[in-house]
Amino acid sequence: MSKKKTKRTQWFTDARFGMFIHWGLYAMPARHEWIRNRERISKEDYQIYFDLFDPDLFNPKEWAAAAKAAGMKYVVVTSKHYEGFCLWDSRYTDYKATNTPAKRDLLREIVDAFRAEGLKIGFYYSLLDWHHPDFTVDRYSPERDAPNKAELNEGRDMRRYAQYMRDQVTELLTEYGTIDIMWFDFSYPGEDGKGHEDWESEKLIELVCKLQPEIIVNNRLDLPYEPDVTTPEQFTPSEPIKDSDGNVAVWEGCQTFSGSWGYHRDESTWKTPRVCVEMLINHVSRGGNLLMNVGPTGRGFLDARALQCLDGYAQWMKYCSRSIYGCGVAPFEEAKNCRYTYNPETNRLYVHVLSWSPADLHLPGLAGKVRYAQLLHDGSQLSFHEKTQGYGTYAITSDSCTIHLPIIQPDILIPVVEIILK
Ligand code: GLC
């Protein structure tokens, strides 16, 4: 694959924040998108969801408006998840939205709605397929413990399945205009698993790059070379992720509001809006993007818990997005209880004050470097002192710049000090 990464990925690393959408039949049982695996549900028993799938409150314009308001710049939507159900009108299967009571290409409506809001479009496409007749039973299949497993695999042909994937990916990348991201999921080589030989990953990625030369492809195809983007999951690295040259890699952490990706009615470990905003800051300060997931309900709407988290982003991003877009790792050691981001274009440093104390804020290494400091959300000036200016008694170390914070924490989820460097 051609590797002109920086140019191709520039929009992506500038954007920093996207919406992940997991939506499929599993939204109906509402107990996690792995439900067929976890509960070992047979194809026959799972059919009821297909027969009754009728998202009467589906309005992707609402999803797109919420994403836009939250400050998200792109969306990655599950065109197909492990269950094998396709949200679009694929010619290569009957297991698709058009054949349910929904009776239409839901993917197209999602794409249109998000594009209309100016967001870039990514397709998640599952490499696993627990519905396809050629997909061999393996360690993740719902039938993995069946006594007649060998028998079940008779006549199944992964070569045909690999062709099916190429056919479907061709549809996705030729019938929906420019697609900005292709997000394959996932490989599990080894015993009873599947990897690049099963997916025919080389052919698949070649096809993707041929059909959409500017597209960004993730790293889950089990290929030996460096991917466009590395995708840690439910995990925020404490340091920047590096590529083989030792530079900050292009990476994107994907995270959930609660533990599940698909809609999960009874999951109660929802993150607060504050935690969500902090996660975004943490990702960007380590040089990464955040792909934050929503799992719409079976009726097609985003439930109140998801909307509340998205609204938390909206409130904060309205005033503070300057510390996110175009920003990455800062070339300074972070002050206590603070998280930094830095915009190399504007040469501005963003100090996110994670725990407000009305004391002076000492920024190591910044003496003599600060031209002006202000609270980002309201643009109000902050005074500062530096030992180099003759105020040595105020500074704890000789090289720090000391910002004087107001006594009362400003009314914003996480306050940000914007430092305009010399
Ligand atoms: C996890 C989940 C899977 C989801 C993926 C997104 O692997 O198990 O269902 O699609 O994360 O990265």
Side-chain angles (χ1 to χ4, degrees):
M1 195 181 45
S2 77
K3 294 250 77 193
K4 289 257 177 299
K5 196 160 93 175
T6 347
K7 200 165 153 274
R8 227 167 7 99
T9 53
Q10 187 68 48
W11 74 263
F12 182 74
T13 47
D14 282 347
R16 286 301 185 215
F17 192 25
M19 174 180 271
F20 213 173
I21 302 178
H22 276 69
W23 197 46
L25 300 178
Y26 45 79
M28 294 173 66
R31 316 191 280 277
H32 204 279
E33 75 287 352
W34 276 73
I35 178 176
R36 267 205 71 193
N37 159 292
R38 288 184 172 186
E39 299 181 17
R40 293 172 170 76
I41 302 177
S42 69
K43 232 183 196 176
E44 294 70 33
D45 287 346
Y46 204 66
Q47 185 62 25
I48 187 77
Y49 306 121
F50 181 88
D51 292 343
L52 297 179
F53 185 64
D54 185 13
D56 59 329
L57 297 177
F58 171 64
N59 182 358
K61 288 184 185 148
E62 288 173 4
W63 306 358
K68 166 97 178 181
M72 292 159 161
K73 296 284 197 185
Y74 61 99
V75 65
V76 178
V77 56
T78 50
S79 56
K80 170 190 103 166
H81 204 263
Y82 310 154
E83 63 181 4
F85 175 68
C86 298
L87 284 183
W88 82 101
D89 190 14
S90 173
R91 279 184 290 284
Y92 301 95
T93 183
D94 293 331
Y95 203 50
K96 55 181 176 182
T98 35
N99 289 340
T100 68
K103 285 206 183 77
R104 56 202 205 278
D105 183 337
L106 301 168
L107 190 64
R108 188 171 299 284
E109 293 180 30
I110 296 171
V111 169
D112 289 348
F114 279 83
R115 228 178 239 147
E117 290 285 7
L119 278 79
K120 300 242 186 206
I121 307 294
F123 286 149
Y124 170 109
Y125 182 84
S126 172
L127 298 167
L128 290 76
D129 195 318
W130 296 329
H131 183 85
H132 196 279
D134 279 316
F135 192 89
T136 52
V137 173
D138 63 28
R139 67 174 189 256
Y140 289 131
S141 302
E143 303 85 2
R144 61 195 172 284
D145 300 326
N148 61 340
K149 199 162 141 189
E151 218 173 278
L152 286 178
N153 277 337
E154 268 169 33
R156 292 185 188 231
D157 181 355
M158 284 298 290
R159 304 280 71 81
R160 276 201 304 252
Y161 177 67
Q163 182 61 49
Y164 172 75
M165 291 204 289
R166 289 194 293 275
D167 288 339
Q168 288 208 316
V169 164
T170 301
E171 289 180 323
L172 290 171
L173 297 185
T174 55
E175 294 173 20
Y176 295 84
T178 301
I179 300 305
D180 305 286
I181 301 169
M182 196 70 208
W183 221 100
F184 290 108
D185 194 40
F186 69 95
S187 299
Y188 44 109
E191 206 188 325
D192 228 4
K194 288 187 174 65
H196 67 102
E197 287 173 1
D198 302 282
W199 318 132
E200 301 185 4
S201 296
E202 289 84 354
K203 273 192 185 172
L204 191 55
I205 202 160
E206 222 173 84
L207 174 72
V208 169
C209 295
K210 189 183 89 194
L211 296 175
Q212 298 267 351
E214 295 301 311
I215 204 166
I216 295 174
V217 188
N218 75 341
N219 65 334
R220 298 190 177 186
L221 282 166
D222 184 35
L223 288 169
Y225 49 78
E226 217 154 71
D228 288 339
V229 50
T230 300
T231 56
E233 176 180 309
Q234 303 269 32
F235 164 78
T236 312
S238 60
E239 302 283 329
I241 296 178
K242 299 283 175 67
D243 63 17
S244 53
D245 298 330
N247 300 317
V248 179
V250 178
W251 68 270
E252 173 195 65
C254 49
Q255 305 276 359
T256 54
F257 285 144
S258 71
S260 178
W261 301 84
Y263 177 65
H264 195 315
R265 184 190 57 210
D266 302 329
E267 166 60 58
S268 56
T269 57
W270 281 69
K271 297 173 179 86
T272 61
R274 147 102 208 189
V275 170
C276 292
V277 168
E278 196 169 329
M279 283 178 105
L280 174 60
I281 295 163
N282 286 339
H283 280 65
V284 178
S285 75
R286 304 311 180 224
N289 285 26
L290 172 62
L291 185 62
M292 198 66 186
N293 182 72
V294 295
T297 64
R299 293 190 68 187
F301 64 89
L302 294 174
D303 83 343
R305 298 169 295 185
L307 288 175
Q308 198 195 355
C309 292
L310 289 170
D311 190 51
Y313 280 124
Q315 302 293 333
W316 190 80
M317 287 290 276
K318 175 170 181 190
Y319 300 102
C320 297
S321 64
R322 217 145 81 197
S323 76
I324 299 297
Y325 302 141
C327 291
V329 182
F332 302 103
E333 179 204 335
E334 286 173 343
K336 236 171 130 192
N337 297 324
C338 292
R339 200 70 80 223
Y340 289 7
T341 63
Y342 173 71
N343 186 325
E345 288 290 313
T346 59
N347 195 27
R348 292 183 184 202
L349 174 70
Y350 297 95
V351 178
H352 302 81
V353 185
L354 300 181
S355 87
W356 191 265
S357 69
D360 295 328
L361 177 63
H362 303 292
L363 309 179
L366 280 164
K369 299 194 170 137
V370 177
R371 182 168 153 226
Y372 187 80
Q374 59 186 355
L375 282 171
L376 175 59
H377 71 283
D378 64 355
S380 61
Q381 186 175 16
L382 293 169
S383 61
F384 60 91
H385 287 127
E386 297 170 335
K387 185 167 185 180
T388 50
Q389 289 179 329
Y391 291 96
T393 47
Y394 293 109
I396 43 165
T397 64
S398 56
D399 69 346
S400 66
C401 170
T402 299
I403 309 269
H404 302 298
L405 296 179
I407 300 295
I408 312 265
Q409 171 169 344
D411 185 22
I412 184 106
L413 223 43
I414 296 179
V416 188
V417 177
E418 180 178 53
I419 297 195
I420 297 163
L421 293 161
K422 283 182 187 162

